[in-house]
Amino acid sequence: MGGSVSCCISPGESPKIHRREVELEECPITTAEDVSEDTGTYLQHISDRELPDELAQEANPSDHPRASTLFLNKSQTDVREKRKSNYLNHMSPGLLTKKYSSCSTIFIDDSTVSQPNLKSTIKCVALAIYYHIKNRDSNRSLDIFDEKKHPLSREKIPDDYAVVDPEHKLIYRFIRTLFSSAQLTAECAIVTLVYLERLLTYAEMDICPCNWKRIVLGAILLASKVWDDQAVWNVDYCQILKDITVEDMNEMERHFLELLQFNINVPASVYAKYYFDLRSLADENNLSFPLEPLSNKRAQKLEAISRLCEDKYKDLSKSAMRRSASVDNMVGMKNSQAVLS
């Protein structure tokens, strides 16, 4: 990623020159008895360098599956206000057109944790970013993400661009345009949100009206390269956003990775947590996933998948029984007679 390697020796000299000049008595051998925690030669174990579990969860929610996501916490204030307003005005919190399952008809959506619905997922991610901007703590930002210093288009930026919060529809259209043009998947949208919250946590910054587009673009750019097998190149995004240059995209990607401390790993547990938190966000804001009645064809497909998984687990249990046997089960075992010649 273009990282430079620093050296203690001056740049004008080669490190190989000094290797033969060092005498053996100047490099004493350090034994295990000489190593202590106070000396510089002590190599601390990686588990000792990690943060305590509770502190790490609070500091980096995008790294730990048990920590609550930032966007869900940001949305709780608005959700409580909506519930209070609905209660005072005697309004139903849900839509009257919401479908419910019965004994004769079962409604299910086509979104799963392994194959989320693209349109609904993008809507939820856009809503999560909307709550990030609306309920931000301050306006901490960096110049690399400032749209006025690094514009995405040649259109004149209004003077109040850093004050007016974007609407949910505007954020959704921006993300939808990128995903539709680059043919990205719904899983990439979830990883985008993970990287976005990880950036806000690591860099201690806020997503605000002046930087949200470039932050979202940088997160999508990185997520598409990590998640998709056939990643979209930076020059391809320049075809989507006509007025941005490849050099600007490369610089933004480099800064994004440095701010993430090159931590682009997304565990399956963290991915699943973000997926289900996005579904919770959708339910609280009446953004229900599209429901369809369960057809015979869909039921047969689900039954086949369940039977396949059941057979797979049976095979795994049988192989485990072959490898080992419990001592409790050895009571009834018969031993063969030994033949002595």
Side-chain angles (χ1 to χ4, degrees), residues 47 49-61 63-67:
S47 61
R49 296 197 300 267
E50 292 178 351
L51 294 173
D53 193 26
E54 296 181 358
L55 181 60
Q57 288 184 22
E58 182 180 357
N60 304 322
D63 293 330
H64 299 270
R66 288 180 293 174

Side-chain angles (χ1 to χ4, degrees), residues 126-158:
L127 184 62
I129 297 173
Y130 167 78
Y131 280 123
H132 264 293
I133 300 174
K134 182 180 180 182
N135 299 325
R136 63 188 181 275
D137 298 328
S138 60
N139 292 312
R140 298 170 298 177
S141 183
L142 297 174
D143 293 341
I144 189 62
F145 299 116
D146 195 334
E147 192 175 352
K148 194 168 186 178
K149 297 181 179 179
H150 301 274
L152 298 179
S153 63
R154 297 179 182 178
E155 297 179 1
K156 183 180 179 180
I157 300 177

Side-chain angles (χ1 to χ4, degrees), residues 51 65 74 80 88 173 200 207 249 265 329 333-334:
L51 294 173
K74 297 278 187 182
R80 286 192 294 264
L88 296 176
R173 284 197 295 265
L200 301 182
I207 182 170
M249 294 286 294
N265 179 42
N329 299 330
M333 295 178 63
K334 295 182 179 180

Side-chain angles (χ1 to χ4, degrees), residues 188-303:
C188 185
I190 299 176
V191 178
T192 296
L193 186 59
V194 175
Y195 287 158
L196 188 146
E197 293 202 342
R198 188 172 294 174
L199 174 71
L200 301 182
T201 304
Y202 283 22
E204 296 182 353
M205 57 181 297
D206 301 282
I207 182 170
C208 47
C210 66
N211 63 8
W212 72 269
K213 284 187 177 180
R214 290 183 62 86
I215 290 180
V216 171
L217 177 61
I220 292 175
L221 171 66
L222 189 59
S224 63
K225 291 185 176 182
V226 174
W227 185 264
D228 293 338
D229 294 333
Q230 296 180 350
V232 183
W233 291 8
N234 293 5
V235 66
D236 297 327
Y237 286 98
C238 297
Q239 302 296 327
I240 303 172
L241 304 171
K242 302 294 184 181
D243 299 327
I244 194 171
T245 61
V246 181
E247 291 76 15
D248 188 15
M249 294 286 294
N250 295 339
E251 183 182 5
M252 182 175 59
E253 181 185 9
R254 180 172 59 84
H255 279 82
F256 206 108
L257 283 169
E258 291 176 352
L259 293 172
L260 289 185
Q261 302 174 16
F262 296 92
N263 180 15
I264 58 176
N265 179 42
V266 180
S269 55
V270 173
Y271 172 88
K273 176 188 69 174
Y274 271 78
Y275 170 78
F276 288 110
D277 282 358
L278 285 173
R279 291 198 67 121
S280 301
L281 182 68
D283 293 337
E284 294 173 348
N285 291 270
N286 297 329
L287 287 178
S288 58
F289 284 62
L291 298 175
E292 295 180 357
L294 181 62
S295 61
N296 293 333
K297 184 178 180 180
R298 182 75 183 277
Q300 293 174 0
K301 183 178 180 181
L302 293 175
E303 185 178 0

Side-chain angles (χ1 to χ4, degrees), residues 281-330:
L281 182 68
D283 293 337
E284 294 173 348
N285 291 270
N286 297 329
L287 287 178
S288 58
F289 284 62
L291 298 175
E292 295 180 357
L294 181 62
S295 61
N296 293 333
K297 184 178 180 180
R298 182 75 183 277
Q300 293 174 0
K301 183 178 180 181
L302 293 175
E303 185 178 0
I305 295 175
S306 300
R307 190 182 299 111
L308 182 63
C309 294
E310 185 178 357
D311 296 340
K312 181 179 179 181
Y313 288 128
K314 285 183 179 179
D315 296 338
L316 290 176
S317 61
K318 289 180 180 179
S319 61
M321 289 296 293
R322 294 193 197 100
R323 288 196 304 268
S324 60
S326 175
V327 179
D328 299 334
N329 299 330
M330 296 179 64

